Amino acid sequence: MFEKKEDRSSIMKKTSKNEVKLGIISGLLTISVLLSIYFVLILNTYIIYTHFFYFPVILACLWWKKNGLIIPIFLSILILLFPWFKRLEFFDLITLENILRALSLIVLGLVVSILSEQISKTQSELEEALNELKRSNKDLQQFAYVASHDCKEPLRAIISFSELLKEEYSNVLDEEGREYIKFIEDGAMRMRYLINDLLHFSRVKTKAKKPQLVDINNVIKDIKKNLHNAIKENNATIIYEDMPTIMVDRTHILQLFQNLISNSIKFRREKPPEIKIGFEKKEKYWEFYVKDNGIGIEEEYFDRIFDIFQRLHTREEYEGSGIGLAICKRIIERFGGKIWVESEVGKGSTFFFTIPTNKRYK
């Protein structure tokens, strides 16, 4: 029943649009014919009168395609009849010129109608491809969420039973057996982190909240509490100026800053991490940066690091799932901004990102 109402509504809209188009073409035709009669019968000139026919011909063939050719055909017949109204000979120079004018109108209409059909075909193909892409993205997001959610239960069982084995049979097992249990625990914990990161990645758009005014100073204070242990263990220093209050999804902006700050602490050199956070107000957007004195990144990897599951180091060197920066990029894309990095190996990295001041989030 609902689909029938939608069909009726769409049909009524199309009918209304066609009526408007018909009215416009009819009005233009009337004006063109009256101007032509004025030029030919009153001013007695044939120089520019057919120019008035171009606009209705182009519009008719653009809107109605090959069906619109009836307009240039009608006008061509009218042009050929003008000598009769003036009581001229049918086979004089003016008649020949009128035949050429009539043919030019028909050719113009034919070219416009063909181009219009090609444009419509290309547009429909693009719309179909876009709809298919949207469906694929939706399916992938749903798959990532379901797969990650369903994997949690057996993973909890693996972790629980490995802990139980270690507690109950630790005295029975030899050193090699205890090492195997540790491998199971480490693998299960890595899988847990990976699943949680996948869930965060899939929820960036599906679980997004409405933007609100957020004080970035308070966001950084919350991040310092969340990362308290890591900051203390690494003797890290976080320096930030008086940050602005912006319209944004608080959960996502916190996750964005926290991922970048966490990376700055993780990818450190021997000296304690020093992280500077700042911003600049541009005309149409905010530009933020997170700068560190860490190990740095080679230029060839500047784009690659924002792809999902991309790692530049082994798990033995630095733990992590390789999803953190991909989540940052996804959040920034939802905000309608851009994210990039400037870095030099051995000197540190600076991550920049922009957030438009007046853009609706996706």
Side-chain angles (χ1 to χ4, degrees), residues 131-330:
N131 290 333
E132 183 62 31
L133 183 61
K134 286 179 179 178
R135 285 193 295 270
S136 298
N137 285 337
K138 188 176 179 181
D139 292 342
L140 283 172
Q141 288 173 6
Q142 186 66 21
F143 172 78
Y145 174 75
V146 171
S148 302
H149 189 271
D150 290 348
C151 283
K152 277 192 169 184
E153 189 59 38
L155 187 60
R156 276 195 290 265
I158 292 171
I159 294 173
S160 298
F161 279 105
S162 62
E163 289 176 352
L164 189 62
L165 275 172
K166 186 169 67 174
E167 290 176 5
E168 297 292 332
Y169 298 96
S170 179
N171 296 331
V172 178
L173 295 171
D174 58 11
E175 187 64 29
E176 190 175 11
R178 287 193 289 272
E179 189 177 358
Y180 288 159
I181 291 177
K182 191 176 185 308
F183 287 154
I184 294 172
E185 287 179 330
D186 291 343
M189 291 305 296
R190 283 201 303 271
M191 180 61 74
R192 173 184 280 179
Y193 292 138
L194 179 61
I195 288 171
N196 287 334
D197 286 343
L198 271 174
L199 281 171
H200 288 313
F201 185 78
S202 65
R203 285 174 172 173
V204 168
K205 292 185 178 180
T206 57
K207 298 294 182 181
K209 297 177 181 178
K210 290 183 179 180
Q212 57 181 315
L213 282 173
V214 176
D215 186 346
I216 303 300
N217 295 291
N218 294 332
V219 169
I220 296 174
K221 288 176 183 177
D222 289 345
I223 292 170
K224 289 176 74 175
K225 291 177 184 176
N226 296 341
L227 301 177
H228 174 75
N229 291 338
I231 292 171
K232 189 175 180 180
E233 288 172 5
N234 292 276
N235 196 24
T237 304
I238 299 176
I239 305 167
Y240 61 98
E241 52 190 279
D242 187 23
M243 304 297 283
T245 297
I246 62 175
M247 185 68 72
V248 76
D249 180 336
R250 194 182 194 282
T251 303
H252 283 165
I253 197 68
L254 187 144
Q255 188 175 16
L256 173 64
F257 271 110
Q258 185 162 305
N259 284 359
L260 294 176
I261 293 170
S262 178
N263 279 353
S264 295
I265 295 172
K266 183 195 302 183
F267 298 102
R268 54 169 293 186
R269 288 185 287 161
E270 291 183 2
K271 62 171 62 177
E274 185 176 287
I275 303 158
K276 295 180 181 179
I277 304 169
F279 76 97
E280 185 177 350
K281 177 69 169 67
K282 303 287 187 177
E283 184 179 353
K284 295 183 179 180
Y285 57 88
W286 298 96
E287 182 178 290
F288 295 90
Y289 67 85
V290 177
K291 183 178 181 180
D292 63 52
N293 61 341
I295 61 175
I297 304 166
E298 292 182 14
E299 187 175 353
E300 62 182 296
Y301 301 119
F302 282 3
D303 293 327
R304 177 183 163 186
I305 58 173
F306 294 103
D307 295 335
I308 192 168
F309 298 130
Q310 293 298 321
R311 299 176 56 92
L312 304 184
H313 308 276
T314 64
R315 289 188 178 87
E316 287 72 24
E317 293 177 297
Y318 298 97
E319 62 179 15
S321 60
I323 301 180
L325 288 177
I327 292 174
C328 292
K329 182 181 178 182
R330 196 172 178 87

Side-chain angles (χ1 to χ4, degrees), residues 11 92 146 218 224 266 293 320 334 338 344 353 356:
I11 290 170
D92 58 8
V146 171
N218 294 332
K224 289 176 74 175
K266 183 195 302 183
N293 61 341
R334 179 185 170 246
K338 296 179 180 179
E344 189 174 345
F353 61 89

